[in-house]
C-alpha cells in the first residue's frame, strides 16, 4: 500500500469529497443553512468557497480590498462556523489576479501592462502582475488577516501566476510592466522578450523567470500560512509550496478537437505518480465553458471525469457557479450524489493506491505544444490495458531510485532532463523509449542513451511512407500484408552508431497527383526507429501525435511491436474488455487490491451517449492469486466468483464498477 510521508495533516488522508461554489457577489445574501443542507445531501466533506481578493466576503479591515456591497454581517465567518459544526471542512478561495478598478488610480504599479503600456480591464476589474506590490505584498496581508481571524482548513488561489489572456480569451501578451522589466533585467541581464517564441533563447529564459518568481511567491505564502496555522492546507495550480495540487477537467466550445477523454486520469495520475507529500484535487467543472457557466456538460462526461478522479487515486472535486438554489441546471446532481455516496461508503479503500506498474510515462509540463505526443502514447497504453505511472519531468530526480522497478520508461517529446536523471537513465535496467523531438537539442545525451546522431529536422514530409520491416519485428503488418505506413509532420534524420539497429526504412515521397502521375517512390536507407545495444528505442518523429490527432491504429502497432521486440509488454491482466473500457488495478490495503473499470464506450469523439452494454466481460489477473473477490455495490460488498477469471457485465448505462480482491 502506498504510504504518505505523514498522516498528521488532514489532507494526506486523501479522502476529500469537495464541492466548490464559485460564488458571485450577490451570493453573500444566500441562505447559508439551506446551503449546508445541500452539501449534506451531496455527502460533501469539504467546501471551497470565496473569501477574498477581488471581493472580500468577510468584513475586512484592509483598505486595499473591495468589500462586498451585497453582504450584511460576515458571510464567510458564518458559513465557516456552520460547516465546521456539521463536520465539513472549508477551503478559503482567493483570487489575486485582479482588483476592483477603484484601486488603479492610486496604485498603478500593481497592474499588468500590455505592450502599448495599457492595463487589462475586464468589467470593473483590472489585472494585477505577479511582480507588482499587490501580489507580492498586499496578498500576504490579506492571507494573514484571514488566517488570524478564521480557523480555515485550507486556502486556494485562483488564476495564480502569469496570465496572457482575459476572460474572453483575448490574447494580451507578455506583461511589460516596469516591475517585470526591472526584475528580468536584474536576473538575466536581458530585456523582456517581445513575443512567445520557443525558438527564442530569451523567451526560454522568460519561462524560467516565470517559474522562479511564482515559486518564490508560493514559498512565501506557504511559510506565512504554516507559521500561523500548520494544519491549513495550501492549494493552487502548481507544485511548489503546495499541499493540495489543483487541476481541472473542463470544456470549452472553441477548444480544438480531439477531445481529451482521459483528462481526469491524466491530471490525477501525474500528481499521484510524482509526489509522496502532496495530494491531487482535480476539479471536474460542471459548466460547458466560461461564457456558459450555467449549463452543465453531459451527465456521462461528468461521471467519467469523477470516476477517473477516484480510480486514479485522487479525491472528488466538483464545481458549479453560484449557489445551488438558483442554479438552472440540476441535470448532473443525482449522479454526483451517487458518486460521492459511493466514495463515502468505501473511502477507507480510496486515495492510497500502489499500482505497482511496470511502465513509467514521463510528462513534459513546460511546453503546451508537447501535449499531443504525450497524449497519443497515453491513449495507446490505455486502449491496450497496459497500466502505467505518470511522472512529471520535474519530479524525475526524486524517482531515480525507482527506475529499475520499471520495464519501460517512455519519454514522449521530453524537452530536457537534468544531469542526474540522464546519468540514471544510462544505467537503468529499464528500456528507455523516446519519441517525437525528445532531447533534440541535447545531441550528446541522445547519442549516449540511444546510439544515434541526430541531423537536420525535416519538415517537407507530406507524401512520405515507412516500410514495415524487418518483418519478424512488425509481424502484425506482415500478416495483414500492409507494407507501408505513412509519415507526416516533422522528423529528424539520424545516423546510427555501431551496434544500433535501424527499423522502418523511409520510402521517399513521389508525385501524388493526378493519378496518372502517382509513381516514383524510392526506398532509402534512412530509418524511422532505432534500437541500440541496450535495447533503448528512439523514434525521431511524432508517432504519438499522429495517433492522438488521426487515430490510425498502425501508429500504435508500430510502437507496440518495437517495444515487444526488445522486452515482453507488462500486463497485469488478460481481458476481453473493449479498448474503450478504462481499467485500473492497485493495492489499496495490505494484501488487498482494487480493480476498477470505467465504461467509455458511449463516447464517439464529440458526443457522449449512454455507454454500450457489455456482456461477459472477463478479466484474468496474471500476477495475483485471489482468495476472495467482492464487488463494491451501493448496498455494500457482495462476494463474486473467481475461479481462473472474473466475469461480469456492464449494462443499462453503468459506467463504473469496482472490486476488492484479497490475496494471500
Amino acid at each position: 500500500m502506498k504510504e504518505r510521508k505523514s498522516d498528521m495533516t488532514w489532507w494526506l488522508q486523501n479522502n476529500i469529497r469537495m464541492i466548490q461554489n464559485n460564488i458571485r457577489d450577490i451570493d453573500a445574501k444566500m441562505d447559508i443553512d439551506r446551503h449546508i443542507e445541500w452539501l449534506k445531501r451531496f455527502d460533501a466533506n469539504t467546501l471551497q468557497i470565496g473569501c477574498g481578493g477581488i471581493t472580500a466576503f468577510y468584513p475586512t479591515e484592509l483598505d486595499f480590498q473591495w468589500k462586498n456591497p451585497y453582504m450584511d454581517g460576515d458571510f464567510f465567518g458564518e458559513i465557516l462556523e456552520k460547516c465546521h459544526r456539521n463536520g465539513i471542512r472549508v477551503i478559503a478561495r482567493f483570487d489575486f489576479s485582479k482588483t476592483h478598478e477603484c484601486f488603479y488610480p492610486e496604485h498603478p504599479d500593481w497592474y499588468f501592462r500590455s505592450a502599448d503600456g495599457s492595463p487589462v480591464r475586464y468589467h470593473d476589474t483590472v489585472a494585477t502582475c505577479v511582480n507588482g506590490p499587490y501580489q507580492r505584498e498586499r496578498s500576504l496581508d490579506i492571507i494573514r488577516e484571514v488566517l488570524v481571524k478564521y480557523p480555515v482548513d485550507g486556502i486556494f488561489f485562483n488564476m495564480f501566476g502569469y496570465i496572457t489572456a482575459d476572460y474572453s480569451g483575448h490574447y494580451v501578451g507578455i506583461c511589460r510592466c516596469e516591475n517585470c522589466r526591472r526584475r528580468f533585467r536584474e536576473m538575466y541581464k536581458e530585456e523582456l522578450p517581445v513575443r512567445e517564441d520557443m525558438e527564442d533563447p530569451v523567451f526560454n529564459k522568460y519561462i524560467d523567470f516565470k517559474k522562479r518568481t511564482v515559486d518564490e511567491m508560493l514559498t512565501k505564502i506557504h511559510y506565512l500560512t504554516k507559521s500561523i496555522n500548520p494544519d491549513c492546507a495550501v492549494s493552487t495550480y502548481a507544485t511548489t509550496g503546495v499541499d493540495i495540487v489543483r487541476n481541472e477537467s473542463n470544456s470549452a466550445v472553441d477548444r480544438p478537437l480531439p477531445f481529451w477523454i482521459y483528462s481526469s486520469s491524466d491530471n490525477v495520475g501525474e500528481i499521484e505518480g510524482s509526489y509522496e507529500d502532496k495530494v491531487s484535487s482535480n476539479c471536474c467543472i460542471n459548466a460547458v465553458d466560461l461564457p456558459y457557466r450555467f449549463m452543465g456538460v453531459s451527465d456521462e462526461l461528468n461521471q467519467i471525469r469523477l470516476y477517473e478522479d477516484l480510480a486514479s487515486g485522487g479525491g472528488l472535486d466538483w464545481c458549479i457557479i453560484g449557489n445551488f438554489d438558483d442554479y438552472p441546471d440540476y441535470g448532473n446532481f443525482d449522479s454526483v450524489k451517487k458518486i460521492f455516496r459511493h466514495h463515502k461508503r468505501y473511502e477507507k479503500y480510496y486515495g492510497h493506491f500502489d499500482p505497482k506498474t511496470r511502465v513509467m510515462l514521463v510528462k513534459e509540463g513546460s511546453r503546451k505544444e508537447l501535449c499531443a505526443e504525450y497524449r497519443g502514447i497515453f491513449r495507446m497504453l490505455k486502449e491496450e490495458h497496459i497500466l502505467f505511472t505518470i511522472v512529471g519531468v520535474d519530479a524525475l530526480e526524486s524517482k531515480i531510485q525507482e527506475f529499475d522497478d520499471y520495464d519501460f520508461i517512455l519519454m514522449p517529446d521530453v524537452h530536457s532532463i537534468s544531469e542526474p536523471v540522464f546519468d540514471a537513465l544510462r544505467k537503468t535496467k529499464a528500456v528507455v523509449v523516446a519519441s517525437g523531438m525528445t532531447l533534440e537539442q541535447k545531441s550528446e545525451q541522445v547519442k549516449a542513451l540511444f546510439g544515434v546522431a541526430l541531423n537536420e529536422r525535416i519538415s517537407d514530409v507530406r507524401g512520405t511512407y515507412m516500410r514495415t520491416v524487418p518483418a519478424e519485428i512488425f509481424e502484425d503488418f506482415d500478416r495483414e500484408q500492409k507494407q507501408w505506413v505513412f509519415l507526416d509532420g516533422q522528423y529528424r534524420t539520424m545516423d546510427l552508431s555501431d551496434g544500433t539497429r535501424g527499423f522502418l526504412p523511409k520510402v521517399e515521397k513521389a508525385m501524388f497527383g493526378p493519378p496518372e502521375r502517382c509513381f516514383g517512390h524510392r526506398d532509402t536507407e534512412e530509418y524511422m526507429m532505432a534500437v541500440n545495444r541496450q535495447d533503448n528505442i528512439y523514434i525521431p518523429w511524432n508517432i504519438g501525435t499522429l495517433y492522438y490527432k488521426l487515430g490510425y491504429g498502425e501508429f500504435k502497432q508500430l510502437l507496440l511491436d518495437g517495444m515487444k521486440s526488445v522486452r515482453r509488454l507488462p500486463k497485469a491482466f488478460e481481458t476481453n474488455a473493449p479498448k474503450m473500457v478504462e481499467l485500473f488495478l492497485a493495492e489499496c490495503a495490505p494484501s488487498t487490491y482494487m480493480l476498477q473499470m470505467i465504461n467509455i464506450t458511449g463516447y464517439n469523439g464529440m458526443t457522449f451517449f449512454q455507454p454500450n452494454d457489455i456482456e461477459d466481460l472477463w478479466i484474468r489477473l496474471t500476477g495475483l492469486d485471489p482468495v476472495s473477490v467482492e464487488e463494491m455495490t451501493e448496498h455494500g460488498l457482495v462476494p463474486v466468483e473467481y475461479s481462473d477469471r472474473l466475469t461480469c457485465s456492464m449494462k443499462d448505462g453503468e459506467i463504473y464498477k469496482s472490486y476488492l480482491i484479497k490475496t494471500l
Side-chain angles (χ1 to χ4, degrees):
M1 183 178 68
K2 185 175 181 179
E3 295 284 346
R4 300 283 176 179
K5 289 185 177 178
S6 168
D7 289 323
M8 297 178 63
T9 43
W10 67 267
W11 55 91
L12 290 179
Q13 297 172 27
N14 203 17
N15 64 353
I16 297 171
R17 292 185 297 280
M18 180 157 70
I19 287 180
Q20 174 179 295
N21 291 100
N22 274 348
I23 53 173
R24 309 152 294 179
D25 290 352
I26 58 173
D27 292 317
K29 290 186 174 295
M30 74 182 184
D31 186 326
I32 290 177
D33 291 321
R34 280 182 58 81
H35 198 80
I36 301 296
E37 289 304 311
W38 271 107
L39 295 174
K40 290 164 70 174
R41 275 181 252 165
F42 278 94
D43 287 309
N45 62 12
T46 307
L47 170 68
Q48 183 162 292
I49 199 159
C51 179
I54 294 175
T55 295
F57 286 87
Y58 67 98
T60 180
E61 297 177 12
L62 302 173
D63 60 5
F64 49 81
Q65 193 171 198
W66 196 66
K67 300 172 180 64
N68 192 331
Y70 297 92
M71 182 177 68
D72 297 319
D74 183 354
F75 170 84
F76 183 79
E78 182 181 351
I79 203 167
L80 175 73
E81 188 275 329
K82 289 182 175 178
C83 277
H84 281 179
R85 197 190 308 165
N86 285 274
I88 300 170
R89 299 186 185 94
V90 175
I91 296 178
R93 181 183 184 275
F94 298 90
D95 192 330
F96 300 124
S97 68
K98 302 167 190 66
T99 72
H100 190 274
E101 62 185 359
C102 66
F103 300 109
Y104 177 75
E106 189 175 348
H107 303 284
D109 58 335
W110 287 3
Y111 298 94
F112 178 105
R113 298 287 178 177
S114 301
D116 62 1
S118 62
V120 175
R121 298 178 180 273
Y122 206 85
H123 298 309
D124 60 353
T125 66
V126 188
T128 60
C129 175
V130 173
N131 294 303
Y134 175 76
Q135 287 206 36
R136 293 186 63 79
E137 300 166 16
R138 301 289 77 80
S139 66
L140 297 175
D141 295 332
I142 295 170
I143 293 168
R144 184 181 295 107
E145 181 182 54
V146 169
L147 291 177
V148 169
K149 190 178 180 68
Y150 303 108
V152 297
D153 301 286
I155 55 175
F156 165 77
F157 312 99
N158 186 55
M159 297 186 75
F160 194 88
Y162 290 78
I163 309 302
T164 57
D166 65 18
Y167 263 108
S168 292
H170 299 136
Y171 183 71
V172 296
I174 294 170
C175 178
R176 305 189 66 80
C177 74
E178 188 51 43
N179 297 304
C180 284
R181 290 172 183 267
R182 184 184 67 255
R183 293 205 74 193
F184 192 75
R185 216 178 286 128
E186 291 170 354
M187 293 169 66
Y188 300 93
K189 312 303 181 189
E190 301 264 15
E191 295 300 320
L192 282 170
V194 176
R195 61 185 181 276
E196 299 182 82
D197 178 5
M198 292 303 302
E199 303 300 321
D200 179 5
V202 178
F203 179 70
N204 280 279
K205 292 179 182 179
Y206 182 69
I207 292 174
D208 182 65
F209 171 75
K210 290 193 293 182
K211 177 170 174 49
R212 288 174 60 184
T213 51
V214 167
D215 285 355
E216 177 185 65
M217 199 63 222
L218 286 170
T219 301
K220 288 183 178 180
I221 290 171
H222 191 268
Y223 178 80
L224 171 65
T225 301
K226 301 303 178 179
S227 68
I228 299 172
N229 180 1
D231 295 324
C232 179
V234 179
S235 175
T236 192
Y237 305 99
T239 56
T240 300
V242 169
D243 304 302
I244 302 174
V245 183
R246 202 89 190 289
N247 276 300
E248 288 185 6
S249 292
N250 55 36
S251 304
V253 295
D254 294 325
R255 186 171 298 162
L257 295 173
F259 186 88
W260 187 226
I261 185 62
Y262 299 112
S263 172
S264 291
S265 293
D266 185 2
N267 291 342
V268 176
E270 180 185 3
I271 304 308
E272 285 295 302
S274 301
Y275 304 99
E276 298 291 328
D277 60 343
K278 308 177 192 300
V279 299
S280 170
S281 191
N282 181 62
C283 186
C284 301
I285 302 293
N286 194 61
V288 299
D289 200 351
L290 284 175
Y292 303 113
R293 294 177 191 248
F294 294 94
M295 175 180 165
V297 298
S298 68
D299 184 45
E300 291 82 9
L301 172 57
N302 191 63
Q303 290 187 60
I304 289 167
R305 287 171 170 171
L306 287 169
Y307 281 130
E308 285 184 344
D309 274 3
L310 281 189
S312 302
L316 290 170
D317 185 339
W318 186 68
C319 171
I320 65 167
I321 186 75
N323 71 78
F324 296 107
D325 282 339
D326 67 358
Y327 189 73
D329 185 353
Y330 285 14
N332 293 334
F333 281 27
D334 286 345
S335 60
V336 174
K337 291 176 186 175
K338 176 186 69 175
I339 297 168
F340 275 50
R341 185 166 61 246
H342 174 89
H343 181 266
K344 181 180 180 181
R345 177 182 286 272
Y346 298 110
E347 70 176 43
K348 69 178 180 179
Y349 297 110
Y350 286 100
H352 299 277
F353 292 160
D354 182 358
K356 302 183 186 299
T357 67
R358 304 291 301 174
V359 175
M360 177 192 290
L361 179 61
V362 179
K363 184 174 184 179
E364 166 73 73
S366 64
R367 305 194 296 176
K368 287 185 178 179
E369 65 267 28
L370 301 185
C371 271
E373 182 68 16
Y374 163 82
R375 287 181 174 182
I377 306 298
F378 186 113
R379 179 179 161 193
M380 293 177 188
L381 298 174
K382 280 288 184 182
E383 291 173 352
E384 294 305 307
H385 306 308
I386 298 173
L387 302 182
F388 58 95
T389 295
I390 307 167
V391 178
V393 70
D394 292 337
L396 278 174
E397 280 193 34
S398 68
K399 301 294 180 180
I400 284 174
Q401 298 303 317
E402 301 172 20
F403 282 5
D404 284 351
D405 296 336
Y406 293 92
D407 291 325
F408 293 94
I409 297 176
L410 304 180
M411 300 173 60
D413 237 338
V414 174
H415 180 52
S416 64
I417 53 176
S418 69
E419 282 300 318
V421 170
F422 167 63
D423 289 338
L425 288 174
R426 290 185 66 185
K427 300 170 185 175
T428 184
K429 298 174 184 176
V431 173
V432 183
V433 183
S435 64
M437 301 299 165
T438 290
L439 303 178
E440 67 169 331
Q441 301 301 322
K442 308 288 184 180
S443 57
E444 291 305 312
Q445 289 185 352
V446 171
K447 189 168 186 177
L449 280 174
F450 303 104
V452 300
L454 294 182
N455 299 317
E456 62 180 325
R457 185 191 287 195
I458 306 297
S459 57
D460 184 17
V461 178
R462 189 62 52 86
T464 303
Y465 297 85
M466 297 168 286
R467 188 177 291 279
T468 55
V469 296
E472 64 272 18
I473 302 298
F474 304 103
E475 56 184 11
D476 293 305
F477 292 90
D478 190 47
R479 283 193 293 265
E480 295 172 7
Q481 299 182 344
K482 186 181 286 288
Q483 299 176 13
W484 290 3
V485 173
F486 79 85
L487 176 67
D488 202 69
Q490 296 178 330
Y491 73 93
R492 296 291 294 257
T493 62
M494 56 186 181
D495 295 327
L496 308 185
S497 302
D498 289 344
T500 298
R501 294 165 288 162
F503 299 164
L504 303 176
K506 188 181 77 171
V507 178
E508 190 58 80
K509 63 181 178 178
M511 297 176 286
F512 56 83
E516 292 82 355
R517 303 292 185 269
C518 288
F519 57 87
H521 296 89
R522 181 178 61 86
D523 287 338
T524 74
E525 294 185 359
E526 278 187 42
Y527 295 100
M528 294 296 105
M529 181 182 291
V531 181
N532 74 350
R533 294 180 187 270
Q534 290 76 39
D535 289 336
N536 292 338
I537 300 173
Y538 196 85
I539 302 170
W541 52 283
N542 292 303
I543 188 171
T545 300
L546 288 172
Y547 189 65
Y548 173 63
K549 291 184 175 181
L550 303 175
Y552 290 105
E554 287 84 352
F555 298 118
K556 176 170 62 176
Q557 198 59 54
L558 287 176
L559 177 65
L560 296 179
D561 283 350
M563 291 169 64
K564 285 188 294 186
S565 74
V566 297
R567 188 169 295 181
R568 182 174 176 271
L569 295 179
K571 292 201 173 185
F573 31 66
E574 299 171 358
T575 181
N576 68 344
K579 295 187 185 301
M580 291 306 289
V581 171
E582 196 174 357
L583 295 178
F584 303 81
L585 178 68
E587 188 176 22
C588 60
S591 301
T592 304
Y593 291 76
M594 190 187 298
L595 172 67
Q596 302 171 84
M597 51 192 77
I598 302 175
N599 186 355
I600 315 177
T601 59
Y603 169 58
N604 77 344
M606 292 180 64
T607 308
F608 290 84
F609 303 104
Q610 180 173 298
N612 299 331
D613 288 350
I614 304 174
E615 301 276 6
D616 298 322
L617 187 158
W618 60 264
I619 297 174
R620 179 184 296 114
L621 304 171
T622 58
L624 298 177
D625 187 15
V627 296
S628 69
V629 179
E630 297 171 296
E631 184 177 354
M632 303 166 72
T633 75
E634 61 180 303
H635 304 296
L637 294 172
V638 176
V640 298
E641 181 181 354
Y642 185 99
S643 51
D644 70 329
R645 64 177 65 180
L646 168 68
T647 302
C648 65
S649 62
M650 301 185 80
K651 299 170 64 175
D652 302 323
E654 187 176 26
I655 289 177
Y656 177 79
K657 270 187 181 294
S658 56
Y659 295 87
L660 283 181
I661 300 166
K662 299 288 180 66
T663 62
L664 292 174

